[in-house]
Amino acid sequence: QVQLVESGGGLVQAGGSLRLSCAASGSIFSISSMGWYQQAPGKQRELVAAITSGGSTNYADSVRGRFTVSRDNPKNTVYLQMNSLQPEDTAVYYCKLTDWRRRSYWGQGTQVTVSS
Protein backbone atom coordinates (compact mmCIF):
# COMPACT_ATOMS: atom_id res chain seq x y z
CA GLN A 1 0.00 0.00 0.00
CA VAL A 2 1.27 3.44 -1.01
CA GLN A 3 0.20 6.78 0.41
CA LEU A 4 0.74 10.13 -1.32
CA VAL A 5 0.72 13.43 0.57
CA GLU A 6 0.56 16.67 -1.40
CA SER A 7 1.36 20.17 -0.23
CA GLY A 8 2.08 23.64 -1.57
CA GLY A 9 -1.24 24.69 -3.03
CA GLY A 10 -2.81 28.03 -2.30
CA LEU A 11 -4.01 31.35 -3.65
CA VAL A 12 -1.74 33.48 -5.83
CA GLN A 13 -2.09 36.40 -8.20
CA ALA A 14 -1.63 36.03 -11.94
CA GLY A 15 2.04 35.97 -12.77
CA GLY A 16 2.99 34.45 -9.44
CA SER A 17 4.54 31.11 -8.59
CA LEU A 18 3.84 28.05 -6.48
CA ARG A 19 5.79 24.89 -5.78
CA LEU A 20 3.80 21.71 -5.21
CA SER A 21 5.26 18.70 -3.43
CA CYS A 22 4.12 15.09 -3.31
CA ALA A 23 5.77 12.65 -0.93
CA ALA A 24 5.15 8.93 -1.27
CA SER A 25 5.34 6.48 1.61
CA GLY A 26 4.38 2.91 2.41
CA SER A 27 5.20 -0.24 0.48
CA ILE A 28 7.35 1.37 -2.21
CA PHE A 29 9.72 -0.93 -4.07
CA SER A 30 10.03 0.34 -7.63
CA ILE A 31 8.56 3.55 -9.04
CA SER A 32 7.98 3.76 -12.77
CA SER A 33 6.76 7.36 -12.85
CA MET A 34 5.17 10.13 -10.85
CA GLY A 35 3.03 12.88 -12.26
CA TRP A 36 0.63 15.74 -11.70
CA TYR A 37 -2.93 15.93 -13.01
CA GLN A 38 -5.23 18.92 -13.17
CA GLN A 39 -8.99 18.94 -12.71
CA ALA A 40 -11.05 22.12 -12.93
CA PRO A 41 -14.78 22.20 -12.12
CA GLY A 42 -16.79 20.60 -14.90
CA LYS A 43 -13.71 19.35 -16.73
CA GLN A 44 -11.89 16.05 -17.12
CA ARG A 45 -8.80 15.26 -15.12
CA GLU A 46 -5.83 15.85 -17.42
CA LEU A 47 -2.12 15.20 -17.25
CA VAL A 48 -0.06 18.31 -16.51
CA ALA A 49 3.44 16.89 -16.12
CA ALA A 50 5.10 13.58 -15.37
CA ILE A 51 8.59 12.27 -14.74
CA THR A 52 9.96 8.74 -14.91
CA SER A 53 12.34 7.20 -12.43
CA GLY A 54 15.07 7.76 -15.02
CA GLY A 55 14.32 11.46 -15.35
CA SER A 56 12.38 11.68 -18.61
CA THR A 57 9.62 14.32 -18.53
CA ASN A 58 6.34 14.97 -20.29
CA TYR A 59 4.28 18.19 -20.23
CA ALA A 60 0.90 19.33 -21.39
CA ASP A 61 1.16 21.93 -24.14
CA SER A 62 -0.60 24.50 -21.97
CA VAL A 63 2.11 24.46 -19.29
CA ARG A 64 5.26 23.71 -21.25
CA GLY A 65 7.79 26.47 -20.60
CA ARG A 66 6.05 27.63 -17.43
CA PHE A 67 5.98 24.51 -15.24
CA THR A 68 8.84 22.21 -14.31
CA VAL A 69 8.49 18.73 -12.82
CA SER A 70 11.36 17.24 -10.85
CA ARG A 71 11.95 14.48 -8.37
CA ASP A 72 14.05 13.49 -5.39
CA ASN A 73 14.37 9.73 -5.69
CA PRO A 74 15.83 9.02 -2.22
CA LYS A 75 12.87 10.89 -0.69
CA ASN A 76 10.30 9.39 -3.08
CA THR A 77 9.10 12.92 -3.71
CA VAL A 78 8.01 14.73 -6.86
CA TYR A 79 7.74 18.50 -7.26
CA LEU A 80 5.92 20.81 -9.62
CA GLN A 81 7.36 24.31 -9.94
CA MET A 82 4.61 26.51 -11.34
CA ASN A 83 5.69 29.88 -12.74
CA SER A 84 3.82 32.61 -14.61
CA LEU A 85 0.55 31.28 -13.26
CA GLN A 86 -2.63 32.23 -15.08
CA PRO A 87 -6.28 32.12 -14.01
CA GLU A 88 -6.75 29.18 -16.40
CA ASP A 89 -4.40 27.16 -14.17
CA THR A 90 -6.95 27.26 -11.34
CA ALA A 91 -7.82 23.67 -10.47
CA VAL A 92 -7.29 20.85 -8.04
CA TYR A 93 -3.91 19.24 -8.67
CA TYR A 94 -3.54 15.53 -8.01
CA CYS A 95 -0.34 13.55 -7.65
CA LYS A 96 -0.13 10.06 -9.13
CA LEU A 97 2.47 7.34 -8.67
CA THR A 98 2.76 4.37 -11.02
CA ASP A 99 4.92 1.39 -10.14
CA TRP A 100 6.49 -1.25 -12.37
CA ARG A 101 3.53 -3.55 -11.76
CA ARG A 102 1.41 -0.93 -13.57
CA ARG A 103 -0.45 -0.13 -10.37
CA SER A 104 -1.36 3.51 -9.81
CA TYR A 105 -1.92 5.46 -6.61
CA TRP A 106 -3.47 8.91 -6.19
CA GLY A 107 -3.04 11.70 -3.70
CA GLN A 108 -5.92 13.61 -2.15
CA GLY A 109 -5.42 16.70 -4.31
CA THR A 110 -4.38 20.24 -3.49
CA GLN A 111 -6.23 23.39 -4.57
CA VAL A 112 -4.46 25.99 -6.69
CA THR A 113 -6.32 29.25 -7.24
CA VAL A 114 -4.95 32.03 -9.44
CA SER A 115 -6.64 35.41 -9.21
CA SER A 116 -6.58 38.08 -11.89
Side-chain angles (χ1 to χ4, degrees):
Q1 183 64 37
V2 175
Q3 296 82 43
L4 303 176
V5 179
E6 297 150 305
S7 61
L11 173 64
V12 297
Q13 293 184 330
S17 298
L18 285 173
R19 184 177 176 86
L20 306 183
S21 299
C22 174
S25 62
S27 301
I28 304 171
F29 298 100
S30 57
I31 298 173
S32 177
S33 65
M34 296 184 72
W36 293 93
Y37 288 72
Q38 174 193 75
Q39 187 165 30
K43 296 185 178 180
Q44 297 286 99
R45 188 175 298 184
E46 298 180 342
L47 175 69
V48 175
I51 186 166
T52 69
S53 59
S56 298
T57 58
N58 185 38
Y59 295 95
D61 290 341
S62 61
V63 307
R64 186 174 290 110
R66 298 188 297 119
F67 293 5
T68 302
V69 64
S70 61
R71 91 289 190 195
D72 186 337
N73 287 338
K75 296 182 179 179
N76 293 320
T77 299
V78 65
Y79 306 93
L80 185 66
Q81 180 66 46
M82 310 167 70
N83 297 328
S84 301
L85 282 162
Q86 305 169 8
E88 309 92 84
D89 298 318
T90 296
V92 177
Y93 286 75
Y94 296 90
C95 177
K96 185 177 81 171
L97 181 155
T98 302
D99 64 23
W100 284 104
R101 302 171 298 175
R102 294 186 176 88
R103 298 182 182 182
S104 295
Y105 308 88
W106 290 90
Q108 78 287 350
T110 184
Q111 177 70 47
V112 171
T113 302
V114 184
S115 64
S116 59

